[in-house]
Amino acid sequence: MASLGQPRSSEQWVAELLDREARTKALVDLREYLLRAVYVYLNRHRDDVSHLDRRELEQLAEDFVQDALLQILDKVDTFRGESKFTTWAYRFVINVAATELRLHRWRTLSLERLVSDDIPLFTFVGDERAPDPETVAVRNQILDLMGRIIREDLTERQRFALVSIHFQGVPVPVVARELETSPNNVYKLVHDARKKLKQGLERFHYSEADVLAIFGEP
Amino acid sequence: MHLVLFRDWIRRIYATRDDELGCEEVFDAIASYVDMEIAGEPAAECFPRVLAHLKQCPHCSDIYLALRAAALLEDQELARELVELEHPDSH
């Protein structure tokens, strides 16, 4: 891979990307930076692409970089100099890669089945010592309360988002696609669901320390 | 669900705040956050709401970790190239 070459200041990056004559060279160089960033992401954070051969990986990385370059060109005039330009730019290619890979991985799975009421939410493993009957009783009270809040107090979209992400490990972009909304709005749905759970527990005087102790916090 | 993960989930429930940032706000701030961290400055203290969001949002947390790795690598490679420029005879 080509060297990063003579480094530009953030101001130089912005000036050249906004200048019609200088833009082409700047984009060629920026492409190299973005390729490095996306390779770091793919190699260190995504074992789901480890089966790809070198040519496939290069094509995938190139596709992500091209998408990111378009987004960066569209937004370059919003760069405020609060970070290095390259760090600011890397976000775009990493976000494109993270989102596209997750959407692809989950494309065939039925989310409705994952969040169906038939699937119990609170089935635990990892309890090394069988709890005493009193602890079991209190645990069940807390779990019943949380189950009731999830089933009855959350809206359908809040419940879907919370259960998908928190219980089934569905990535946020996948839930956003299913709900035909943005990842930002999915976060807000989950946030509101968490608030209702927290308020419900506190209404019944269960503190964080209480709940953690009952569920085996050492 | 493993009990350890359930207890983490309980902590996340109780850590919920009214003034949490959304993903778009964190995306806007994350480059500054990462650059501060790499420079050894107290990013978590200066951006507590960014940190709180990263603890709640797996997608943004994933982006943060990858961004940090990429920015750190750039820092290290530029430092290495600078050393080579300053001391060409050693290579």
Side-chain angles (χ1 to χ4, degrees), chain A residues 3-5 7 33 36-37 40-41 44-45 82-84 86-88 90-91 94-95 98-99 102 122-127 143 146 166-167 172-173 183-184 187 191 194-195 197-198 201 206-208 211-212 215-217, chain B residues 1-4 6-25 27-32 34-35 52-53 56-59 62-63 65-67 69-71 73-75 77-78 81 85:
Chain A
S3 153
L4 293 176
Y33 279 81
R36 284 168 186 267
V40 166
Y41 177 62
R44 297 189 193 178
H45 299 268
E82 293 166 350
S83 67
K84 285 171 61 177
T86 45
T87 311
W88 180 89
Y90 290 151
R91 302 173 304 154
I94 291 166
N95 188 42
T99 301
R102 293 204 161 95
F122 301 111
T123 307
F124 295 123
V125 296
D127 205 354
L143 295 177
M146 299 188 83
H166 281 203
F167 289 85
V172 170
N184 197 58
Y187 184 86
H191 171 255
R194 284 191 274 114
K195 263 182 74 170
L197 279 164
K198 181 182 176 185
L201 286 164
Y206 289 117
S207 71
E208 180 181 1
V211 178
L212 290 175
F215 284 94
E217 178 91 314
Chain B
M1 184 187 281
H2 198 286
L3 263 184
V4 170
F6 178 76
R7 290 198 292 265
D8 283 344
W9 183 64
I10 289 295
R11 290 188 193 92
R12 288 164 69 184
I13 298 295
Y14 281 93
T16 301
R17 297 286 180 265
D18 287 337
D19 63 347
E20 287 183 23
L21 296 178
C23 298
E24 288 175 1
E25 291 165 295
F27 191 72
D28 283 345
I30 199 68
S32 306
V34 163
D35 279 351
H53 180 97
Q56 297 281 10
C57 183
H59 183 67
D62 189 38
I63 291 173
L65 289 171
L67 183 62
L73 183 64
E74 179 194 329
D75 241 34
E77 289 200 359
L78 287 173
E81 287 179 9
L85 281 173

Side-chain angles (χ1 to χ4, degrees), chain B residues 46-60:
Chain B
C46 297
F47 295 94
R49 292 164 70 197
V50 169
L51 179 60
H53 180 97
L54 294 178
K55 288 181 177 179
Q56 297 281 10
C57 183
H59 183 67
C60 291

Side-chain angles (χ1 to χ4, degrees), chain A residues 130-187:
Chain A
D132 58 78
E134 187 181 340
T135 300
V136 169
V138 178
R139 283 187 180 183
N140 286 338
Q141 282 175 357
I142 293 172
L143 295 177
D144 284 347
L145 171 61
M146 299 188 83
R148 215 163 47 243
I149 294 169
I150 290 171
R151 281 191 314 273
E152 299 171 12
D153 294 354
L154 304 189
T155 65
E156 193 175 323
R157 288 167 73 86
Q158 288 168 352
R159 188 184 69 80
F160 185 91
L162 179 87
V163 173
S164 301
I165 294 168
H166 281 203
F167 289 85
Q168 300 295 349
V170 181
V172 170
V174 176
V175 176
R177 177 178 61 185
E178 188 71 18
L179 293 177
E180 297 180 345
T181 188
S182 68
N184 197 58
N185 283 341
V186 169
Y187 184 86

